[in-house]
Amino acid sequence: MSLRGLYLVTPELADTDALLGAVACVLSARPAIVQYRSKLVDPALRREQASRLLALCRQARIPLVINDDLALALEIDADGAHLGRDDGDLAGARKALGPARILGASCYGEWARAEAAVAAGVDYVAFGAMFPSSTKPQAPLAPLEMLTRAKAEFGLPVAAIGGITLDNAPLLIAAGADLPAVISDVFSAPDPAARAAAYAGLFD
């Protein structure tokens, strides 16, 4: 699979039908990855939402990764997991997922964390916040140069997250980002499908 293109992160919605409807309408834009991210709903609802999203993404042949929860990713046989600094050992996660599933890691603005993630066998490294973000308003910003360095030194896909819009995404792609990760700028757009398609067009 090609890990280059829009990295679509799901909005926080307790209404599962609304969540699936929101994601379904943008899958025609062929995002490279969909990430299920939910911090607020209870574990049973997270499992239900993730399972139903997986079925939707499988039908569209788009990989679904689970944010911050390796156990859930394994339980539902998702296409991978994305883990942050508090989400467990990356080498152990790589072993548990096996070679065929996707493992991504949040590296924030920390080069040493990125090096450790690559050594543990991740499939992509993610940096951010690149710009001020409504999702994580207190997150420190990562320098743009980190994308360029990671692309040159690691030979892996590079994701960028935090405050990304259609206006600033080309700057990140030019710096080396393969996967601009977006929530609000797609799902809060007047026409989310058209906005997702516009992101896809940045890679044509």
Side-chain angles (χ1 to χ4, degrees):
M1 72 184 68
S2 173
L3 295 184
R4 182 168 170 81
L6 174 62
Y7 189 141
L8 195 64
V9 183
T10 60
E12 187 80 56
L13 291 171
D15 183 330
T16 303
D17 288 337
L19 175 64
L20 266 73
V23 174
C25 83
V26 297
L27 291 182
S28 60
R30 307 300 304 166
I33 302 177
V34 174
Q35 181 194 112
Y36 173 60
R37 180 185 188 275
S38 180
K39 302 291 188 179
L40 301 179
V41 304
D42 64 68
L45 184 53
R46 290 183 80 240
R47 187 188 188 286
E48 178 192 351
Q49 289 188 341
S51 297
R52 291 180 64 186
L53 273 173
L54 180 61
L56 184 69
C57 290
R58 286 270 161 87
Q59 189 174 22
R61 297 185 178 179
I62 293 168
L64 178 76
V65 302
I66 307 299
N67 177 262
D68 292 355
D69 195 335
L70 175 64
L72 178 59
L74 294 170
E75 181 183 358
I76 68 168
D77 193 26
D79 299 298
H82 179 94
L83 303 180
R85 62 163 60 92
D86 301 319
D87 302 321
D89 172 61
L90 287 170
R94 173 79 282 165
K95 184 175 181 181
L97 288 167
R101 286 186 281 196
I102 300 167
L103 177 60
S106 292
C107 303
Y108 314 100
E110 303 170 26
W111 187 254
R113 185 174 295 277
E115 290 180 316
V118 172
V122 299
D123 295 292
Y124 68 85
V125 287
F127 296 97
M130 302 310 304
F131 306 102
S133 165
S134 60
T135 304
K136 292 186 175 182
Q138 305 306 318
L141 298 185
L144 195 64
E145 296 77 18
M146 199 163 276
L147 304 178
T148 308
R149 183 182 177 190
K151 188 65 180 173
E153 294 191 21
F154 295 147
L156 290 177
V158 176
I161 194 164
I164 298 174
T165 67
L166 195 58
D167 290 333
N168 62 37
L171 180 68
L172 302 176
I173 294 168
D178 301 283
L179 296 160
V182 183
I183 307 173
S184 301
D185 196 57
V186 168
F187 289 108
S188 297
D191 185 341
R195 182 61 56 90
Y199 275 97
L202 298 176
F203 294 90
D204 289 344

